[in-house]
Amino acid sequence: MTKASVTILALALMTHGRASPTSFRAAAPVRFAAHEIATGLTGGYQVIATDLNRDGKPDLVVVSELPDLVWFENPSWTRHVLARGLTDVINVAAADLDGDGIPEIAVASGFSTQPDQSSGIIGILAHGTDPTQSWTMREIDRNPASHRLRWYVDRDGQRWLMDAPLAAATAKPPNYDGATPIYAYRAPAWKRELVASEEFGVIHAIEPIHATFCDACLLTAGFAGVHRYEHVNGAWTHAPIAAGNPARVPNGGSSEVAVGRLSRATSANGRASGDDLFLATIEPWHGNQVVIYRRSASGSFARQVIDTTVVDGHTLVTADFDGDGVDEVIVGQRGGSHSVWMYTSGVSGAWTRTTVDDGGMAGAGCTTVDINGDSRIDIVCIGTATANLKWYENLGPARRD
């Protein structure tokens, strides 16, 4: 593949959970125009989109190894500082807790891949009169190796801040043996609540979802595979979904997870029907495989590997980029060619891979959002080795002549 052209690769599903390139075929992929927002973001790791100044436009908060936690104002992309002097920030999550139209931001800092060397500080950032000036942070807890933060809303409308440490406080690499906790908090008391789980070793991703098979759930991806959690009637429920890559730890399980749909069909509540949903994962931890799980009539998920050529896969998101009611899958790899790829579902279990960025983005974190208000979903990614932030403008499908 070259940077001068977009290569379209049909990845046909093979037996025994493996896939290999089989043929090239014509297609009409969605076109993207890359816009670089910032460079010099050493160790770029995560980006989230949220409106921080009440102008109706999504701004971008970025996590990197820089000493300042910063955000970029849409559309000028002026750089502002949220907080100074934080060390080893690893994750942020935004939610408007007080209803003033500007979100508060949860921050996990003091991270280390050696849990016994991690302070795991959890804090809540709040804005002052001018959100472009530094925000104030309230520390709410400390959990060694706090790694992933997400806001989760249960069936009763209660909002929880979920904290998934990378591994148990006493765990050691590479196997990170031990039971891994998941914690939940609610404002204003921010009392720590332990979520009952069967996780072991690394938990790499958590993601809230709303679907017919899981009305208001939190999915996790890690050494134990993909699991689901839900807060119902005052208690946390748990169930495994898929074991992930079948190899032994630390090469087993899953690393990233997202939900997508394969048709316009919806249930009575407007959500995709269970038969039309799929789970997409990267496997194993920081792995090489892109995997699709289809839900069967019995409720189980069948594993289908659609690509095995990813190098250090670290981010995966789903969205409907061409407006046909079917979601595509975006994957970023921190290693290899430093590329961002899009996978589009086709007939007979085949998926088409197209290149969004070839060589210019060591994708550690991507998100999907309509950046410019044209009603098309765009992509935003931050790169580790490339130390940059880009948004990829959705120009719609290419014309077929």
Side-chain angles (χ1 to χ4, degrees):
M1 288 184 288
T2 66
K3 296 181 182 179
S5 64
V6 176
T7 301
I8 304 168
L9 178 62
L11 298 166
L13 180 65
M14 308 297 286
T15 59
H16 307 299
R18 292 190 62 82
S20 61
T22 56
S23 64
F24 293 91
R25 64 183 175 86
V30 175
R31 300 162 300 150
F32 293 95
H35 305 278
E36 194 157 58
I37 295 172
T39 58
L41 297 172
T42 304
Y45 191 80
Q46 184 200 15
V47 57
I48 65 169
T50 185
D51 184 3
L52 293 181
N53 55 4
R54 283 188 293 227
D55 67 354
K57 299 180 179 69
D59 307 302
L60 301 174
V61 181
V62 302
V63 171
S64 70
E65 293 177 359
L66 298 180
D68 296 338
L69 181 64
V70 302
W71 64 282
F72 294 90
E73 184 178 351
N74 185 357
S76 67
W77 304 122
T78 302
R79 179 182 182 273
H80 303 292
V81 176
L82 281 166
R84 300 185 188 276
L86 298 178
T87 59
D88 301 316
V89 177
I90 193 67
N91 232 224
V92 295
D96 185 4
L97 303 178
D98 56 14
D100 69 351
I102 297 179
E104 284 64 47
I105 300 176
V107 182
S109 61
F111 175 76
S112 172
T113 56
Q114 299 271 4
D116 61 357
Q117 299 176 22
S118 169
S119 55
I121 299 169
I122 308 298
I124 305 293
L125 282 170
H127 67 90
T129 303
D130 181 358
T132 67
Q133 301 301 307
S134 292
W135 295 27
T136 58
M137 189 172 84
R138 173 189 173 187
E139 182 179 322
I140 64 170
D141 205 1
R142 295 194 175 204
N143 301 314
S146 289
H147 181 248
R148 289 290 180 263
L149 299 178
R150 294 292 186 271
W151 295 100
Y152 159 75
V153 178
D154 67 17
R155 292 185 188 183
D156 297 325
Q158 298 179 95
R159 179 182 281 115
W160 301 81
L161 175 62
M162 309 301 296
D163 170 30
L166 180 73
T170 58
K172 303 286 186 183
N175 290 348
Y176 290 95
D177 291 331
T180 309
I182 298 174
Y183 301 114
Y185 305 86
R186 279 185 296 171
W190 302 114
K191 180 181 178 182
R192 181 201 298 178
E193 184 168 325
L194 180 64
V195 178
S197 76
E198 295 179 8
E199 303 281 353
F200 61 85
V202 165
I203 297 177
H204 192 256
I206 59 173
E207 198 64 40
I209 68 163
H210 294 274
T212 50
F213 78 93
C214 190
D215 187 52
C217 291
L218 184 82
L219 295 185
T220 64
F223 283 0
V226 178
H227 290 231
R228 53 175 279 187
Y229 298 86
E230 190 170 7
H231 189 258
V232 181
N233 298 325
W236 291 95
T237 65
H238 161 266
I241 291 180
N245 190 52
R248 297 181 62 182
V249 168
N251 298 313
S254 304
S255 189
E256 308 289 336
V257 63
V259 174
R261 63 178 181 173
L262 288 171
S263 82
R264 290 182 180 274
T266 57
S267 61
N269 62 6
R271 293 171 180 162
S273 65
D275 292 340
D276 297 308
L277 290 173
F278 67 90
L279 298 179
T281 66
I282 292 174
E283 296 178 356
W285 183 29
H286 297 171
N288 66 308
Q289 302 170 357
V290 181
V291 182
I292 301 298
Y293 289 91
R294 291 294 306 274
R295 189 167 183 256
S296 68
S298 66
S300 63
F301 285 84
R303 183 174 187 263
Q304 305 174 336
V305 181
I306 64 169
D307 197 356
T308 60
T309 63
V310 179
V311 181
D312 194 6
H314 199 267
T315 183
L316 178 148
V317 291
T318 57
D320 179 8
F321 294 102
D322 54 11
D324 66 352
V326 179
D327 287 339
E328 289 74 45
V329 178
I330 299 296
V331 169
Q333 57 171 9
R334 294 190 300 186
S337 61
H338 296 160
S339 299
V340 177
W341 291 324
M342 180 171 70
Y343 299 83
T344 304
S345 63
V347 298
S348 302
W351 288 73
T352 299
R353 189 182 81 192
T354 55
T355 300
V356 177
D357 194 318
D358 184 8
M361 174 55 62
C366 294
T367 191
T368 58
V369 63
D370 181 3
I371 285 287
N372 56 356
D374 66 354
S375 299
R376 291 189 178 124
I377 302 299
D378 307 303
I379 307 167
V380 185
C381 295
I382 190 168
T384 303
T386 50
N388 56 346
L389 177 69
K390 290 184 179 182
W391 77 279
Y392 300 92
E393 181 181 3
N394 184 347
L395 303 178
R399 284 189 59 183
R400 289 181 186 237
D401 296 326

